Amino acid sequence: MRIYTRVELEAKLARAGLEVGWHHHAHGLHSPYWWLKCAVGVHDDKHSLVGAYHRMLVWDIMRKPAATRFAEQALNPLIGKSLVLYAVKPPAREGRVTPPPGSQGGMGGRVAPP
């Protein structure tokens, strides 16, 4: 597993030819679960607090009650554990010369279709 900062992830997406737009954080209710796991031991799934919080998360996912939806909306910008980036691939510009797949560019390029 690899954890990226927003700047690192945006740079990777840009290198892949994507334009990054809006971003936000998600899963604010999940952060305290991982804090508990770290406090009691990451592999201790039988700890009563970890189990209780996990059951609450499952209940929340299944039932989607208004109270936890509101709490998550409030917590996401503060402690959201996931970063969500929205990116688009810009359309090819007419007449732009692009190298064929597998080439290093330079001579022998082709014109991108409109």
Side-chain angles (χ1 to χ4, degrees), residues 3-51:
I3 298 173
Y4 295 100
T5 66
R6 188 176 112 214
V7 171
E8 289 173 314
L9 192 52
E10 285 179 349
K12 285 184 170 290
L13 292 170
R15 283 193 299 276
L18 300 171
E19 292 178 358
V20 178
W22 189 62
H23 71 275
H24 67 91
H25 288 87
H27 306 122
L29 286 176
H30 294 246
S31 290
Y33 172 77
W34 291 104
W35 298 340
L36 280 172
K37 295 270 292 176
C38 289
V40 303
V42 176
H43 301 292
D44 187 1
D45 292 329
K46 298 195 186 310
H47 191 280
S48 61
L49 290 175
V50 170

Side-chain angles (χ1 to χ4, degrees), residues 44-109:
D44 187 1
D45 292 329
K46 298 195 186 310
H47 191 280
S48 61
L49 290 175
V50 170
Y53 203 94
H54 183 265
R55 285 189 299 279
M56 186 279 299
L57 288 174
V58 170
W59 170 81
D60 172 60
I61 290 167
M62 299 302 289
R63 300 294 180 137
K64 297 177 179 34
T68 54
R69 296 297 93 223
F70 178 76
E72 185 151 70
Q73 280 184 324
L75 291 173
N76 281 344
L78 302 172
I79 61 171
K81 78 169 191 63
S82 301
L83 171 66
V84 180
L85 295 172
Y86 296 88
V88 296
K89 185 166 186 151
R93 287 180 279 183
E94 191 173 331
R96 189 178 83 193
V97 175
T98 59
S103 77
Q104 299 298 318
M107 300 302 288

